[in-house]
């Protein structure tokens, strides 16, 4: 199993190209099931999760070809199967989003209940309620969802009881070719929702209001092929920005969409970090003294993203003062806290809150990655720590960060992968 070895204490200087967003790419890939024409995705990140999704799509009959320069061509001329087995769904929750497109295209599907990072219970009740509202009959049997919509899906009005990114995306994928008009109230507003709506619209869908709490979808009878560029990854952007804040230095995050991280920029500025949005991307710099402690609470977009909470906690571990980190999206997302403590952080967790008492410096140690964002928070801490840090179980990291060691080394970090 691979490990990552870091010799910390080097400031980061240089340029980091930002990849396409994993969490957008996965749902865009599912959209390929909705058309018999090719869907070409540009700026596709090469990740374990996107490969995993491609395996599932291949099983369903989608031909996938990777082309140079981050291009993925997906073609579902006909469907080979409407069955998504446990082995192909269990590792990653986003695979569950094939259910709606399969129902829309074939009128039936059998899809395993999903797995994913162990950060909370993560049910799919909102996804299933949305599909039922569109007229699907749904049964749960032996860990599988068995769904049918013999007469096709019908447009419907849905009001989500709370904001869910995945359920909003699933509803969009299902409503695009449903018969009639759908409205989604209390919809998620994340940039990934806008990206999916833009791609579906380019394919011929009629979606308006994406990025606001109310989305309207006028169902169309068919969708066609298109080329679409995946939105820049705001979580990768935020992670590197936090890494620069933690180590000091100055980095240009090339291609980053500054407007997608405003909650993070305002916290970083309060902590004493310089952030400048330019046409090229976002420049982040910190010179001299330690960051100031600031409190953070995770919220749906445009609030502070839960996917940056672990990294921000790593930054606060060496800040001047006490920071309260509150997690409101997932119930079990503090698994990085005891690992950060191994590096010398002073963190106490009380339910949904972690109290981080900043220490002057961290010291390298052996640590264990528990989930994707937790593992990168250990890398951030290791980059700032004195001496050697070894991060075990880096397969978590490979799910969502493209060429992480390469991008950081190019900015002066001493980081390497060790394969055993
Ligand atoms: C997406 O997960 C992301 N994953 C997550 O990123 C991200 O943390 C999350 O959105 C929030 O931004 C992908 O896009 C693949 P939700 P998703 O539905 O869609 C509860 C990462 O590290 N809920 O917005 O699963 C749920 O348990 C990952 O890249 C229900 O109760 O998140 C959670 O508490 C981790 N029933 C809350 O809603 C449902 O049917 C928000 O989850 C659906 C969700």
């Amino acid at each position: 199993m691979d490990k990552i070895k870091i010799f910390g204490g080097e400031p980061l200087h240089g340029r980091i190209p930002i990849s396409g967003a994993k969490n957008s790419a996965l749902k865009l890939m599912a959209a390929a099931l909705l058309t018999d024409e090719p869907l070409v995705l540009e700026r596709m990140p090469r990740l374990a999760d996107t490969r995993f999704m491609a395996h599932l799509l291949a099983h369903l009959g989608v031909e996938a070809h990777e082309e140079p320069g981050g291009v993925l061509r997906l073609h579902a001329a006909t469907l080979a199967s409407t069955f998504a087995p446990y082995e192909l769904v269990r590792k990653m929750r986003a695979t569950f989003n094939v259910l709606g497109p399969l129902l829309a295209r074939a009128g039936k599907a059998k899809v395993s209940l999903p797995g994913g990072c162990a950060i909370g219970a993560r049910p799919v009740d909102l996804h299933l309620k949305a599909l039922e509202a569109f007229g699907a009959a749904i049964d749960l049997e032996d860990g599988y969802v068995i769904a049918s919509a013999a007469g096709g899906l019908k447009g419907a009005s849905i009001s989500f009881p709370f904001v869910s990114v995945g359920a909003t995306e699933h509803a969009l994928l299902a409503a695009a070719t449903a018969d009639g008009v759908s409205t989604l109230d209390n919809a998620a507003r994340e940039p990934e929702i806008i990206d999916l709506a833009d791609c579906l619209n380019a394919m011929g869908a009629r979606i308006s209001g994406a990025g606001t709490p109310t989305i309207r979808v006028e169902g169309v009878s068919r969708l066609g092929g298109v080329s679409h560029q995946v939105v820049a990854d705001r979580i990768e952007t935020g992670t590197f920005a936090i890494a620069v804040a933690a180590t000091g230095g100055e980095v240009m995050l090339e291609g980053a969409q500054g407007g997608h991280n405003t909650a993070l920029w305002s916290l970083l500025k309060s902590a004493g970090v310089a952030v400048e949005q330019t046409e090229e991307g976002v420049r982040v710099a910190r010179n001299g003294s330690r960051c100031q402690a600031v409190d953070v609470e995770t919220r749906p977009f445009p609030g502070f993203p839960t996917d940056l909470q672990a990294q921000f906690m790593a930054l606060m571990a060496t800040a001047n003062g006490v920071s309260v980190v509150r997690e409101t999206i997932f119930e079990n997302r503090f698994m990085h806290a005891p690992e950060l403590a191994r590096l010398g952080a002073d963190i106490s967790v009380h339910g949904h809150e972690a109290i981080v008492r900043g220490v002057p410096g961290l010291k390298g140690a052996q640590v264990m990655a528990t989930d994707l964002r937790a593992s990168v928070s250990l890398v951030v801490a290791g980059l700032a720590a004195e001496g050697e840090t070894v991060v075990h179980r880096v397969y978590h990291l490979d799910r969502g960060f493209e060429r992480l060691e390469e991008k950081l080394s190019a900015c002066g970090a001493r980081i390497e992968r060790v394969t055993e």
Side-chain angles (χ1 to χ4, degrees):
M1 215 177 280
D2 289 4
K3 301 183 235 182
I4 291 216
K5 228 184 226 185
I6 303 164
F7 293 90
E10 302 291 338
L12 297 172
H13 281 280
R15 307 173 74 81
I16 299 183
I18 298 302
S19 298
K22 167 190 79 107
N23 286 346
S24 202
L26 294 169
K27 323 304 166 57
L28 293 168
M29 291 174 78
L33 290 165
L34 289 170
T35 173
D36 58 7
E37 293 179 11
L39 174 63
V40 178
L41 297 174
E42 296 160 10
R43 191 161 60 182
M44 265 298 291
R46 297 192 62 176
L47 301 166
D49 274 12
T50 50
R51 273 196 295 278
F52 198 68
M53 185 65 149
H55 282 151
L56 171 61
L57 292 179
H59 168 84
L60 300 174
V62 184
E63 281 178 29
H65 293 289
E66 273 188 41
E67 292 168 14
V71 174
L72 179 67
R73 189 185 159 87
L74 298 165
H75 192 190
T78 53
L79 293 184
S81 170
T82 56
F83 175 50
Y86 175 71
E87 316 81 79
L88 296 180
V89 173
R90 75 187 158 89
K91 277 197 216 155
M92 191 179 76
R93 187 173 163 91
T95 47
F96 190 65
N97 281 42
V98 301
L99 174 59
L102 287 175
L103 264 177
R105 176 105 177 247
K108 61 176 185 156
K110 179 173 175 181
V111 176
S112 169
L113 287 164
C117 278
I119 54 180
R122 306 188 82 189
V124 286
D125 52 329
L126 298 192
H127 298 236
L128 298 180
K129 279 196 185 119
L131 295 174
E132 278 177 337
F134 294 139
I138 291 191
D139 280 317
L140 295 180
E141 222 173 80
D142 306 330
Y144 279 89
V145 176
I146 300 171
S148 62
L153 296 172
K154 308 270 184 281
S157 291
I158 294 169
S159 183
F160 292 110
F162 52 88
V163 172
S164 162
V165 175
T168 302
E169 290 164 334
H170 212 156
L172 274 182
L173 288 162
T177 56
D179 184 18
V181 174
S182 298
T183 51
L184 312 180
D185 276 321
N186 202 18
R189 291 185 276 163
E190 271 67 4
E192 294 76 24
I193 306 283
I194 301 177
D195 201 28
L196 178 61
D198 285 349
C199 177
L200 289 169
N201 281 341
M203 292 167 75
R206 294 200 190 127
I207 300 169
S208 55
T212 76
T214 303
I215 304 180
R216 186 175 189 276
V217 186
E218 224 179 290
V220 296
S221 55
R222 72 178 296 277
L223 297 176
V226 74
S227 283
H228 175 85
Q229 188 177 66
V230 181
V231 69
D233 195 319
R234 68 196 164 97
I235 304 303
E236 188 196 28
T237 301
T239 300
F240 287 130
I242 293 170
V244 177
T247 60
E250 179 172 336
V251 171
M252 166 55 81
L253 303 168
E254 287 173 346
Q257 295 253 337
H260 293 172
N261 281 99
T262 47
L264 172 65
W265 305 147
S266 83
L267 284 185
L268 285 180
K269 285 176 185 170
S270 305
V273 180
V275 179
E276 187 197 351
Q277 297 183 41
T278 73
E279 294 222 321
E280 269 183 288
V282 178
R283 179 178 290 109
V284 181
R286 183 177 71 78
N287 297 311
S289 56
R290 281 161 77 190
C291 284
Q292 287 303 315
V294 284
D295 295 342
V296 60
E297 177 173 291
T298 62
R299 284 278 161 205
F301 191 84
F304 187 92
T306 174
D307 290 349
L308 288 175
Q309 179 258 106
Q311 300 89 313
F312 203 80
M313 190 187 285
L315 175 64
M316 289 297 102
T318 55
N320 194 6
V322 178
S323 158
V324 179
V325 178
R326 194 170 295 120
E327 172 60 53
T328 74
I329 309 289
F330 292 110
E331 60 271 27
N332 187 23
R333 210 169 197 188
F334 282 144
M335 284 177 294
H336 41 283
E339 297 304 308
L340 290 171
R342 295 175 62 82
L343 299 167
D346 180 353
I347 302 170
S348 48
V349 173
H350 309 274
H352 289 287
E353 261 179 26
I355 315 287
V356 187
R357 293 183 175 78
V359 294
L362 299 174
K363 276 194 93 174
Q366 309 255 339
V367 287
M368 190 73 81
T370 49
D371 69 69
L372 168 58
R373 310 303 175 185
S375 51
V376 85
S377 80
L378 301 174
V379 171
V380 168
L383 290 170
E386 190 188 301
E388 184 184 280
T389 294
V390 181
V391 183
H392 296 266
R393 293 204 187 149
V394 295
Y395 59 84
H396 288 292
L397 212 55
D398 296 334
R399 292 186 57 177
F401 287 91
E402 189 176 37
R403 301 186 287 111
L404 181 80
E405 312 92 90
E406 197 184 313
K407 289 184 183 188
L408 286 168
S409 309
C411 291
R414 294 170 67 199
I415 178 168
E416 63 178 10
R417 179 177 292 254
V418 182
T419 304
E420 286 180 337

